Amino acid sequence: MIAHGLSPDLLEEVAQYRAASVGDDAWPSEQLELLADYGVFADVIPQAYEGDPVDPTRLLARYLALAEACVETAFVLTQRNGACQRIAASSNEDCKRDVLPALARGETFATVGISHLTTSRQHMAEPAMVARSDGDRWALRGEAPWVTGAAQADWIVTGGATPDGQQLLVLLSPQSNL
């Protein structure tokens, strides 16, 4: 039995597309469509939202196998899965019910823009993105320096540092007028 559980056909097709798509601005759209077709996008989404979650050990094995076929596709998948995992961990049931099923089916794409909260720009005196409350609304000010696939995303998980030192994560739709 293959530890990662991915179809050898899927991995071969992903590798073939990788060989055909070369360039600095290449986006692995064909590879991502294959992942959706093979049900890989359900891997990190709870069953209650049409997901088919795999355990962390198998998920890591899947990332490694996919990276052997196409490292760019594997990387994009990790960013997408990071967004999905953060949405699934939210206490906002309406949001999860509205967003996660389409992500599980591969009908929409999500990504994360949180490097400014976790790794990059940590040396700066002020946070790269600040979240401030204005009554019952929040406003973000600053920049998310790195958002993989932002131009292709239906959803972006990003956030900012609050004045009390906490972090606020938000789900944005780049197509909306916020």
Side-chain angles (χ1 to χ4, degrees), residues 121-128:
R121 304 208 178 174
Q122 297 299 300
H123 63 282
M124 298 177 68
E126 295 292 321

Side-chain angles (χ1 to χ4, degrees), residues 12-26:
E12 184 178 321
E13 287 184 68
V14 166
Q16 288 174 356
Y17 276 115
R18 171 60 186 131
S21 63
V22 179
D24 292 340
D25 294 331

Side-chain angles (χ1 to χ4, degrees), residues 20-158:
S21 63
V22 179
D24 292 340
D25 294 331
W27 178 252
S29 56
E30 291 87 0
Q31 295 94 316
L32 295 173
E33 286 179 31
L34 284 169
L35 296 182
D37 291 345
Y38 277 83
V40 175
F41 285 165
D43 284 357
V44 297
I45 297 180
Q47 287 179 328
Y49 307 102
E50 300 184 28
D52 187 15
V54 299
D55 68 78
T57 302
R58 178 167 277 195
L59 185 62
L60 180 58
R62 286 182 175 211
Y63 290 148
L64 291 172
L66 190 56
E68 287 181 19
C70 178
V71 72
E72 293 86 357
T73 301
F75 178 74
V76 169
L77 180 63
T78 65
Q79 301 300 286
R80 179 238 177 240
N81 284 355
C84 292
Q85 289 168 317
R86 283 164 179 83
I87 296 166
S90 167
S91 61
N92 187 328
E93 289 298 323
D94 291 336
C95 175
K96 292 191 288 192
R97 193 173 35 256
D98 292 345
V99 173
L100 289 174
L103 287 167
R105 294 187 300 267
E107 296 169 359
T108 58
F109 179 75
T111 191
V112 289
I114 59 170
S115 66
H116 58 284
L117 297 173
T118 59
T119 54
S120 69
R121 304 208 178 174
Q122 297 299 300
H123 63 282
M124 298 177 68
E126 295 292 321
M129 180 99 63
V130 176
R132 297 210 189 283
S133 174
D134 182 19
D136 61 345
R137 298 181 66 179
W138 286 88
L140 295 177
R141 175 156 291 148
E143 79 177 38
W146 174 33
V147 183
T148 301
Q152 289 79 17
D154 300 289
W155 301 105
I156 297 173
V157 174
T158 191

